[in-house]
Amino acid sequence: MPVVQGAAKARRFFDRIAPWYDRINARIYKRAWLERVRSEIRGARVLDVGVGTGFTTGHLADAVGIDLSMEMLRRARYRGALVRADFMRPPFRGADFDTIVFAGSFYYMRDPREAARVAAELLRPGGRVVLLSPATLLLAAFVRVLSPHDYQEIFASAGFGDVRYERLNWSACLVIAERP
Ligand SMILES: C[S@@+](CC[C@H](N)C(=O)[O-])C[C@H]1O[C@@H](n2cnc3c(N)ncnc32)[C@H](O)[C@@H]1O
């Protein structure tokens, strides 16, 4: 089991590193990845899961950012709404998001199938998941690393149709899953 997984561990971990998060992220997270993620966002109603300090969707007026870590949210620069909650117990009703973004957060979910099922419930028909994750087994001791086949299987099990996997470089991948 990777070092940081599940809500309690993730919250403690990110509460602790929040003061340095943006500086660490600037070294890891490539500008080109950010642009790829943003280019795949569709519609105005965007839910950013594990929004952190607002790095990916902070510029969007109608986005909703959700995060477990109060320390990350306290540092967020965000035009939309911020909510402190566990994505696995979402405080929303109805399925109306156009896009759900997991930029560096899907792999912290204890049960990825259940996370995909929750995402399917929160998306409108025709909506999509856009996910940025690690893609190298070199990181598997720290975080869950899923294969293209794993993503296909996880999102198909939650009723998603088309699942597209794109390798961004040696360490990261982008996954787009469309809700029929
Ligand atoms: C690596 S950070 C990514 C932050 C931001 N998306 C970015 O791209 O910089 C992962 C974030 O996911 C949050 N997180 C992890 N599990 C979560 C869950 N079950 N529900 C909501 N947020 C979660 C953590 O608290 C942390 O802020």
Side-chain angles (χ1 to χ4, degrees):
M1 156 97 89
V3 179
V4 184
Q5 197 151 93
K9 277 190 184 172
R11 182 179 49 73
R12 279 199 300 273
F13 178 74
F14 283 100
D15 273 349
R16 205 168 302 145
I17 70 162
W20 305 281
Y21 181 79
D22 280 345
R23 261 175 288 164
I24 298 168
N25 211 29
R27 289 176 173 270
I28 299 172
Y29 200 124
K30 309 269 179 272
R31 188 89 216 157
W33 301 350
L34 178 64
E35 279 156 19
R36 277 298 287 122
V37 172
R38 287 182 177 173
S39 74
E40 293 291 351
I41 291 174
R42 303 282 182 270
R45 288 279 297 159
V46 176
L47 175 63
D48 188 343
V49 181
V51 62
T53 55
F55 191 70
T56 308
T57 56
H59 61 299
L60 299 174
D62 291 323
V64 178
I66 178 173
D67 206 291
L68 288 166
S69 164
M70 186 52 90
E71 294 306 314
M72 293 289 272
L73 291 174
R74 267 173 9 99
R75 290 164 173 83
R77 290 175 296 278
Y78 217 66
R79 287 183 68 203
L82 290 171
V83 181
R84 181 175 176 273
D86 181 352
F87 174 70
M88 302 306 287
R89 299 159 188 253
F92 311 110
R93 284 169 198 271
D96 68 344
F97 287 103
D98 300 308
T99 300
I100 299 183
V101 176
F102 293 88
S105 59
F106 190 73
Y107 47 94
Y108 294 116
M109 307 294 148
R110 185 172 291 282
D111 180 347
R113 277 178 196 73
E114 183 62 11
R117 194 192 60 71
V118 173
E121 274 180 11
L122 293 173
L123 280 172
R124 66 163 174 78
R128 58 166 39 182
V129 163
V130 178
L131 179 161
L132 175 72
S133 275
T136 171
L137 290 174
L138 292 174
L139 296 171
F142 307 103
V143 293
R144 182 191 282 122
V145 178
L146 298 166
S147 69
H149 177 266
D150 292 332
Y151 284 112
Q152 179 67 49
E153 200 263 316
I154 287 164
F155 283 99
S157 76
F160 284 80
D162 192 37
V163 181
R164 181 155 51 88
Y165 179 100
E166 178 183 328
R167 195 71 184 247
L168 297 178
N169 71 351
W170 67 272
S171 66
C173 67
L174 184 77
V175 178
I176 314 291
E178 311 276 357
R179 199 197 136 175

